[in-house]
Amino acid sequence: MRRLTALLLASTLPFAAAAQDAASEATRTAQAEIAARLPLADPRDEANVLRGKLAEIPGGVILDKAGNTVWDRRPYAFLDAKDAPDTVNPSLWRQARLNAVHGLFEVVPGKIWQLRGYDISVMTIIRGKTGWIVVDPLLSEEAAAAGWKLFADTVEAKSGKRPIKAVIFSHSHSDHFGGVGGIITAEEVKKGKIRIIAPHGFSEEATAENVLAGTAMGRRALYMFGSILPPGPAGQVDTGLGPKLSSGTIGYMEPTETVSETGGTLTIDGLAFDFLDAGGTEAPSEFVFYIPAYKALHTTEVVTHTLHNVLTLRGAQVRDALHWSKVIDATLLKWGGKAEVALASHHWPTWGAGEVSALLTSQRDIYRYVHDRTLFLANRGATLHELADATPEAPGQAADFSARGYYGTVNHDMKAVYQRYFGWWDGNPANFNPLAPEASAPKYVALAGGADKLLAVGQAAVKAGDYRWAAELLNKLVFAQPDNKAARTALASAYDQMGYQAESGAWRNYYLAAAATLRGNAVQSLSGNGQSRSFVSAIPTAVFFDALATRFDAAKGSAIKGVFQFVLPDSKETVAIVVDGGVEVPRYGVTDAAPTATITLHRTTLDDVMLGQAQFPALMQSGAIRIDGDRMAFLSWFALHPPADPRFNVVVP
């Protein structure tokens, strides 16, 4: 089973590590320019970040039971410096320092608390009539358990111990439910002691999101989150959305109830919650909610202190910026002027009815700007890259840090909107079926008069501070001659400077991770996020077999024809896989009348395979998997499903 942050090699090419570049004069000029035009000294966000702090985990260090590090903020002590180094965009530096503050915070006195700075996400604890209601228990069980212990030692030690009565999963991304096993047990839920409440469609979306395309998403995520970079002023400083991902165990528990797409009110442990559906914005399954008794609005990940991704750099389905804007406007109409505090699944709260309304207005407007500006230009002939280059930042972004592009950007969000409406193609037939980079790169090198000439032009562009042009040229040379050390070094230099200048944490991480890969000095191994059995067992069987079909080697299996019937007695499921002409079609719930072979195994055995705790040959030998019919036909077909190598190259051919 794929790990969110896998134990991966960044590059398999044998290059000795080279020194990273210092900030160039062009980069220092760019940093000074953005520092001069933004009110970086505005103290309001820092005041909100520190407001209500009660306690913190010493050093910000969280270990698992075996003593492995799950979370450690000590290497980020460099963020204590107020002024940004010239290798970090000063606006991103400000955001990183705000995200670096960790601890337990009281949001509404005696009623609502948050644990921040112990994962990329935030865990919220709400006081009900008889117990606690927990919202979004982080990504990993270890981080959630440590956060809960801090809460218990600080709040319960004074007010008295109370049970957790409910857990709310605000949306279907794993950094908001994966740690649930760290604070409650499945047995407590089964006995009806604890409710788990989620938006409609949660179960399918939460477990299936990354299964089909998980290998590629995971590889790209290493670059996007800077997981192959060491922390430091010239390395990983933040993601923009939060510090980083924790490195623990991702679990899962099935919701006991869901909120429908019409929203509505639920009473949870004696406390009224008013829900508004937000599915199809930042996540396919999502809601926001308001607690009238506390005048508190939870905006989930629909409204945070950054412009979010309409299309994340790791890969996902394109989100709907227009719908996103409308959901925020509906939230503003429903609770604007009433809510006296807004808190979310990331970042820090905003206090004051006027300030909450202003936050909602600004966030609504930035998504609407991204959407409408894209179509304004596209309908006048601008293509994917032209429209982004032709668009300045939104007017409100100069005055409101919450609308700035620390995670998403106007640039790549507009490209995502274009993709949503028009697809990947810009309409020019020259770009409809271009040569693959490996094929076109040598031709560009020849056109330039050879590698030396192209290298010289690329190096000159780097020296002139024309980094985007340098990257375009030098990338051609690297793809034509991946062993050309001078080309790799020059391209890495261009990526360094673009990374230093980036205001988006995701852009910075991707550029700098690419540079590290080219130089051969990327961090080579990391403790990873392993899915627990509870998570794997929740993946729908139909999704597993769809994912298996994506691994079928059609070129080698084009002559295979047959029906392979899977029977899972413990879960009472059947799947008939029809194979013909290089395609396999899983038919969930179907029992074929005359299969080529019938394979009987328990779903729990299948989970063992997905977890890497068992292998098919040994299971067949032990009898845990029984094959009736044409055994050799099954084995020949099954052998044509090689696992994908998650170490595939990203920035070199």
Side-chain angles (χ1 to χ4, degrees):
M1 192 65 195
R2 182 185 68 83
R3 291 183 171 191
L4 253 179
T5 306
L7 299 174
L8 294 176
L9 293 179
S11 173
T12 57
L13 291 173
F15 282 94
Q20 190 171 358
D21 287 356
S24 67
E25 182 179 352
T27 292
R28 293 194 298 272
T29 299
Q31 313 293 46
E33 188 276 330
I34 194 170
R37 66 183 177 84
L38 293 180
L40 297 177
D42 187 326
R44 289 175 294 177
D45 281 336
E46 184 177 5
N48 283 343
V49 165
L50 296 173
R51 179 170 171 171
K53 184 171 181 178
L54 302 176
E56 64 179 49
I57 295 174
V61 179
I62 300 172
L63 306 176
D64 65 15
K65 293 179 181 178
N68 299 312
T69 301
V70 171
W71 188 260
D72 188 353
R73 293 305 289 167
R74 292 173 301 181
Y76 293 82
F78 63 88
L79 286 169
D80 291 343
K82 184 176 181 180
D83 295 329
D86 54 20
T87 53
V88 184
N89 181 296
S91 181
L92 177 60
W93 184 259
R94 177 184 185 275
Q95 183 82 347
R97 295 186 73 240
L98 295 171
N99 283 335
V101 177
H102 62 89
L104 172 67
F105 301 83
E106 190 173 50
V107 178
V108 177
K111 306 297 183 184
I112 300 177
W113 298 261
Q114 281 193 320
L115 287 146
R116 302 200 301 268
Y118 299 121
D119 213 320
I120 195 171
S121 51
V122 168
M123 181 163 72
T124 300
I125 301 168
I126 302 167
R127 182 168 188 153
K129 185 177 181 180
T130 64
W132 308 115
I133 302 161
V134 179
V135 184
D136 291 350
L138 308 182
L139 172 66
S140 66
E141 294 175 354
E142 296 85 353
W148 181 257
K149 183 179 184 302
L150 180 64
F151 174 78
D153 291 346
T154 306
V155 175
E156 286 195 324
K158 294 180 179 180
S159 65
K161 188 173 179 61
R162 296 155 65 94
I164 295 176
K165 303 295 290 186
V167 175
I168 296 175
F169 297 153
S170 68
H171 60 299
S172 54
H173 291 153
S174 57
D175 53 322
H176 305 279
F177 66 80
V180 64
I183 61 169
I184 64 173
T185 67
E187 189 65 23
E188 290 173 307
V189 177
K190 186 177 181 180
K191 290 180 178 179
K193 294 181 178 180
I194 299 175
R195 300 163 68 182
I196 299 182
I197 301 162
H200 65 94
F202 176 88
S203 297
E204 180 179 355
E205 297 294 346
T207 57
E209 182 194 28
N210 292 331
V211 174
L212 295 176
T215 301
M217 283 187 181
R219 180 61 166 152
R220 287 164 55 150
L222 292 176
Y223 286 79
M224 174 182 173
F225 292 113
S227 301
I228 56 177
L229 291 172
Q236 203 269 349
V237 299
D238 197 71
T239 71
L241 192 63
K244 59 177 182 174
L245 299 169
S246 64
S247 300
T249 304
I250 301 173
Y252 180 81
M253 291 186 193
E254 187 71 15
T256 60
E257 57 197 286
T258 58
V259 176
S260 76
E261 60 186 19
T262 60
T265 302
L266 278 180
T267 299
I268 307 172
D269 191 29
L271 194 62
F273 285 69
D274 194 2
F275 292 91
L276 176 68
D277 184 57
T281 57
E282 188 273 337
S285 174
E286 189 159 2
F287 53 43
V288 300
F289 59 83
Y290 180 66
I291 307 172
Y294 300 159
K295 296 184 179 180
L297 174 64
H298 192 283
T299 59
T300 307
E301 208 159 330
V302 179
V303 173
T304 59
H305 286 281
T306 178
L307 169 61
H308 213 294
N309 289 305
V310 176
L311 178 59
T312 174
L313 301 186
R314 65 176 169 83
Q317 295 185 32
V318 178
R319 298 157 184 171
D320 188 343
L322 178 60
H323 179 58
W324 201 326
S325 177
K326 289 184 175 182
V327 168
I328 299 174
D329 195 45
T331 303
L332 178 63
L333 288 171
K334 191 174 179 69
W335 297 304
K338 298 179 182 178
E340 294 184 358
V341 62
L343 58 157
S345 302
H346 296 274
H347 301 134
W348 52 92
T350 297
W351 284 271
E355 287 78 4
V356 170
S357 292
L359 172 68
L360 295 174
T361 300
S362 177
Q363 288 272 303
R364 175 200 64 191
D365 291 352
I366 187 61
Y367 292 102
R368 189 82 200 205
Y369 179 86
V370 164
H371 177 271
D372 290 357
R373 189 64 186 168
T374 300
L375 292 182
F376 176 89
L377 293 169
N379 285 327
R380 287 158 178 78
T383 59
L384 184 75
H385 296 287
E386 291 170 342
L387 56 86
D389 268 2
T391 302
E393 65 182 32
Q397 287 184 299
D400 183 9
F401 285 105
S402 73
R404 297 201 64 80
Y406 297 119
Y407 196 48
T409 67
V410 168
N411 185 295
H412 78 259
D413 281 357
M414 289 184 70
K415 293 169 183 173
V417 173
Y418 185 97
Q419 179 180 325
R420 182 176 180 88
Y421 284 98
F422 306 107
W424 53 268
W425 180 42
D426 63 4
N428 185 331
N431 299 322
F432 183 74
N433 187 29
L435 291 171
E438 292 90 338
S440 66
K443 298 178 184 295
Y444 276 96
V445 174
L447 183 65
D452 290 344
K453 288 187 177 180
L454 184 54
L455 175 62
V457 175
Q459 290 172 327
V462 171
K463 187 175 182 180
D466 196 356
Y467 302 120
R468 290 172 66 191
W469 175 233
E472 184 172 337
L473 289 174
L474 294 166
N475 186 60
K476 300 291 186 186
L477 184 51
V478 167
F479 267 72
Q481 298 180 357
D483 294 332
N484 188 324
K485 185 176 180 180
R488 291 166 68 101
T489 299
L491 179 55
S493 294
Y495 286 153
D496 278 343
Q497 303 306 324
M498 289 192 285
Y500 296 160
Q501 293 182 31
E503 187 176 23
S504 163
W507 280 40
R508 173 188 174 87
N509 290 335
Y510 220 106
Y511 280 133
L512 296 185
T517 298
L518 288 166
R519 292 191 174 101
N521 60 6
V523 176
Q524 292 205 344
S525 66
L526 297 164
S527 57
N529 289 93
Q531 282 92 348
S532 69
R533 180 170 292 275
S534 64
F535 186 95
V536 170
S537 63
I539 297 171
T541 298
V543 172
F544 169 78
F545 281 98
D546 280 337
L548 182 68
T550 68
R551 288 170 49 180
F552 182 53
D553 190 336
K556 294 180 180 178
S558 60
I560 292 181
K561 184 175 182 178
V563 178
F564 301 99
Q565 179 70 56
F566 283 79
V567 178
L568 288 69
D570 59 339
S571 60
K572 297 181 174 59
E573 295 175 291
T574 59
V575 182
I577 301 181
V578 180
V579 184
D580 191 10
V583 176
E584 64 182 54
V585 180
R587 291 174 171 171
Y588 179 76
V590 170
T591 301
D592 192 84
T596 306
T598 298
I599 304 92
T600 304
L601 76 164
H602 288 304
R603 171 58 204 254
T604 53
T605 301
L606 189 61
D607 293 346
D608 289 337
V609 174
M610 287 192 280
L611 285 163
Q613 296 176 357
Q615 301 297 323
F616 254 80
L619 292 168
M620 288 188 290
Q621 190 173 23
S622 70
I625 297 176
R626 191 179 80 238
I627 303 171
D628 299 308
D630 193 337
R631 182 184 181 94
M632 288 308 299
F634 166 74
L635 293 175
S636 297
W637 165 76
F638 191 74
L640 294 174
H641 294 80
D645 185 352
R647 298 172 298 177
F648 63 80
N649 290 331
V650 174
V651 297
V652 293

